[in-house]
Amino acid sequence: MKIKNICCIGAGYVGGPTMAVIAQKCPEINVTVVDINEERIKAWNDEDVENIPIYEPGLSAVVKEARGRNLFFSTDVDAAIDKADMIFISVNTPTKTYGIGKGMAADLKFIELCARQIARVSKDDKIVVEKSTLPVRTAEALKNILDNTGNGVNYQILSNPEFLAEGTAVDDLMNPDRVLIGGDIDTTKGKEAVEALVDVYAHWVPRERLLTTNVWSSELSKLTANAFLAQRVSSINAMSELCEKTGADVNEVSKAVGMDSRIGSKFLKSSVGFGGSCFQKDILNLVYISKSFGLNEVADYWEQVILMNDHQKRRFAAKIVQTLFNTVSGKKIALLGWAFKKDTNDTRESAAIYVADYLLNEQAEIVIYDPKVKTEQIYADLDYLNSRSSEENRARLKVVNTPYEATNDSHAVAVLTEWDEFKELDWQKVYNEMLKPAFLFDGRRLLKRKTKEEIGFEFYAIGS
């Protein structure tokens, strides 16, 4: 079974980059990315490839090479589905904000809408690939919808979870640790479908990195991977608070622990907390699944990872208030960084959102600088929390175009995203233009310790 036409429903942080790389590596396959968001598709088709809606190092070059050749972006979802041999579903699966499972379970309404649209449009057999992060057994629900609402065509459901880290997504796609493909490997048709997707990735990924499993193992593996990574972040952040009380330095502890070959050094850097679209959502999903099976101890174990992360964000914001003589009312606080990590413009669940919200509740005046996040996104993130009116958010939080504009005449500076440019700032200039005493809070342990002797800052870094 040779794939000639691929459709991807969803032009977001997963669908866009993944399909761009597939198109670049498989020039004989036509790849069409569809989305009902006209503005997003317009941005993907912008003549200036630097204006595509997602910032990832190297992505614009990949899109430039393939777009118009065998990579297309469209709002005509029905046409792309009809033409495709293989359909990737890469739509948002946010945590539910209503009903049963509110605050924990994944909201699968967009997945179901995709399934019903595929069933309505399809006239010949299709391979449907789950690319979104989904609860275990979602493939079963997909198949029930497709088999019972369609035109009598046959569908094979595959699970192909993404393991991309934003900021390195293109490199992760080009050189993956593994590509996981789950399917109905106990049937001939299922094996053929799995092999068809294996053949796509085999254009550039060595066969030994192409791991095939049953669907359920594939779905659960994605949740497990993110849970394990988030657990490491919360573990080192828990130790950072103990380090502050005992006089230990969390960087030294992290190095000592990470040199143990059984543990390794990755994801052992203390910070103001993890963010992004996946970690919290996937752990909450895992908690909900565990509770639904009556596995309350399992659920409690994983929920603690989230509780620790929330605690770290509150603790950092509270430290700012405490250090500034227990009040920040009317004081200008500069926040450097709004994206949840460097080299991306994604702000979902960014720690900066919650630190800013805490400080605004304390009547601070906030000024933000981030090199890639747009002003309207920053306000949208705060408005979503619904802590105060949109007008008040805009009155008391300003977004500026340079870091020095943010820090000028400020009482304190907090580094919340580990952008490389913050390492290169003229920190003596920053200090000179701040109100005194000048406070620097390093939420990413990005900077060398700026002691009074070196520059003059009252300096705080997590874990020391």
Side-chain angles (χ1 to χ4, degrees):
M1 185 185 299
K2 289 294 181 183
I3 302 300
K4 296 180 180 179
N5 293 287
I6 287 176
C7 163
C8 177
I9 304 174
Y13 282 92
V14 174
T18 302
M19 293 302 114
V21 170
I22 287 177
Q24 183 201 44
K25 297 296 186 180
C26 309
E28 78 282 5
I29 299 176
N30 284 321
V31 179
T32 303
V33 184
V34 293
D35 203 295
I36 59 174
N37 186 325
E38 293 183 2
E39 286 301 312
R40 180 178 292 173
I41 292 299
K42 182 179 178 181
W44 278 112
N45 284 322
D46 196 293
E47 287 186 11
D48 185 352
V49 76
E50 296 301 326
N51 291 332
I52 59 176
I54 293 170
Y55 174 73
E56 279 287 339
L59 179 59
S60 58
V62 175
V63 172
K64 184 177 182 180
E65 177 184 335
R67 193 177 64 185
R69 180 192 69 190
N70 67 319
L71 175 63
F72 308 95
F73 297 92
S74 173
T75 56
D76 193 345
V77 182
D78 284 2
I81 290 172
D82 183 46
K83 185 180 179 182
D85 310 308
M86 179 177 284
I87 302 167
F88 286 79
I89 298 178
S90 186
V91 296
N92 196 17
T93 54
T95 301
K96 286 185 72 175
T97 57
Y98 58 89
I100 298 172
K102 177 181 177 180
M104 287 191 180
D107 191 340
L108 301 180
K109 63 183 179 182
F110 300 121
I111 296 291
E112 181 174 343
L113 288 171
C114 287
R116 292 188 183 279
Q117 188 168 11
I118 292 168
R120 175 176 57 80
V121 173
S122 298
K123 300 181 186 66
D124 48 27
D125 295 353
K126 308 285 186 188
I127 299 172
V128 178
V129 184
E130 301 173 335
K131 199 64 182 172
S132 304
T133 303
L134 300 168
V136 185
R137 312 295 298 195
T138 300
E140 192 171 52
L142 271 178
K143 189 158 182 62
N144 282 338
I145 293 169
L146 291 168
D147 287 346
N148 291 293
T149 62
N151 302 313
V153 302
N154 294 313
Y155 299 95
Q156 287 296 324
I157 313 298
L158 303 181
S159 169
N160 177 219
E162 54 84 15
F163 294 97
L164 308 180
E166 291 182 45
T168 60
V170 173
D171 187 58
D172 294 339
L173 286 162
M174 298 284 194
N175 304 288
D177 292 332
R178 78 296 202 195
V179 174
L180 184 56
I181 300 170
D184 188 2
I185 54 178
D186 293 327
T187 67
T188 300
K189 290 291 185 182
K191 288 178 181 177
E192 289 175 354
V194 168
E195 193 58 32
L197 185 52
V198 166
D199 286 343
V200 171
Y201 283 112
H203 280 72
W204 77 96
V205 181
R207 287 268 176 171
E208 60 269 19
R209 295 188 193 174
L210 300 175
L211 179 62
T212 60
T213 68
N214 69 41
V215 176
W216 326 127
S217 295
S218 177
E219 290 177 335
L220 187 56
S221 293
K222 169 61 176 176
L223 297 181
T224 304
N226 279 343
F228 273 48
L229 294 174
Q231 178 196 48
R232 288 173 69 92
V233 176
S234 282
S235 294
I236 197 64
N237 281 343
M239 298 312 300
S240 74
E241 189 168 8
L242 187 58
C243 285
E244 291 174 26
K245 297 296 185 182
T246 61
D249 187 303
V250 73
N251 273 5
E252 294 174 348
V253 173
S254 174
K255 184 176 181 180
V257 171
M259 290 180 72
D260 188 324
S261 60
R262 298 168 301 173
I263 298 172
S265 61
K266 291 185 178 180
F267 284 80
L268 286 182
K269 185 174 182 180
S270 64
S271 70
V272 68
F274 60 74
S277 65
C278 290
F279 281 6
Q280 176 162 307
K281 179 188 71 173
D282 290 355
I283 292 176
L284 289 173
N285 196 350
L286 198 59
V287 170
Y288 181 73
I289 292 169
S290 298
K291 285 185 175 180
S292 70
F293 285 114
L295 306 177
N296 294 322
E297 292 80 7
V298 175
D300 291 345
Y301 176 84
W302 288 112
E303 190 170 18
Q304 193 62 41
V305 174
I306 298 296
L307 296 176
M308 185 66 229
N309 194 55
D310 291 342
H311 168 69
Q312 188 79 341
K313 289 180 282 191
R314 288 192 303 271
R315 187 172 79 84
F316 183 81
K319 182 71 175 181
I320 295 175
V321 176
Q322 176 191 347
T323 305
L324 269 67
F325 316 109
N326 290 313
T327 179
V328 291
S329 178
K331 294 179 180 178
K332 178 181 175 181
I333 312 294
L335 304 186
L336 298 184
W338 192 261
F340 84 90
K341 63 183 289 189
K342 72 173 185 176
D343 293 334
T344 181
N345 59 352
D346 192 354
T347 65
R348 288 174 290 181
E349 294 298 331
S350 173
I353 300 170
Y354 299 95
V355 171
D357 185 62
Y358 187 106
L359 296 174
L360 287 170
N361 285 339
E362 294 288 332
Q363 302 297 309
E365 302 294 324
I366 305 295
V367 184
I368 306 288
Y369 168 74
D370 188 286
K372 290 298 178 182
V373 179
K374 294 181 178 179
T375 299
E376 55 266 30
Q377 183 61 55
I378 292 173
Y379 287 130
D381 290 335
L382 276 176
D383 290 347
Y384 182 78
L385 296 181
N386 206 28
S387 298
R388 63 198 66 79
S389 70
S390 177
E391 291 75 21
E392 189 176 356
N393 282 332
R394 282 152 183 77
R396 294 183 34 224
L397 183 144
K398 302 297 181 187
V399 183
V400 296
N401 295 318
T402 72
Y404 299 111
E405 189 179 355
T407 59
N408 185 48
D409 287 334
S410 65
H411 291 79
V413 176
V415 179
L416 295 178
T417 310
E418 67 276 22
W419 288 103
D420 290 339
E421 71 175 82
F422 297 154
K423 298 178 185 177
E424 308 304 323
L425 289 182
D426 183 344
W427 285 101
Q428 186 67 64
K429 171 182 169 69
V430 171
Y431 174 80
N432 291 340
E433 295 178 351
M434 289 176 65
L435 300 178
K436 305 300 185 296
F439 297 91
L440 175 58
F441 298 87
D442 189 356
R444 295 292 174 182
R445 295 198 61 111
L446 185 72
L447 310 171
K448 293 180 180 178
R449 191 169 182 85
K450 307 295 181 184
T451 63
K452 281 187 176 181
E453 291 75 22
E454 291 174 329
I455 292 179
F457 283 112
E458 299 285 348
F459 182 78
Y460 167 75
I462 283 178
S464 62

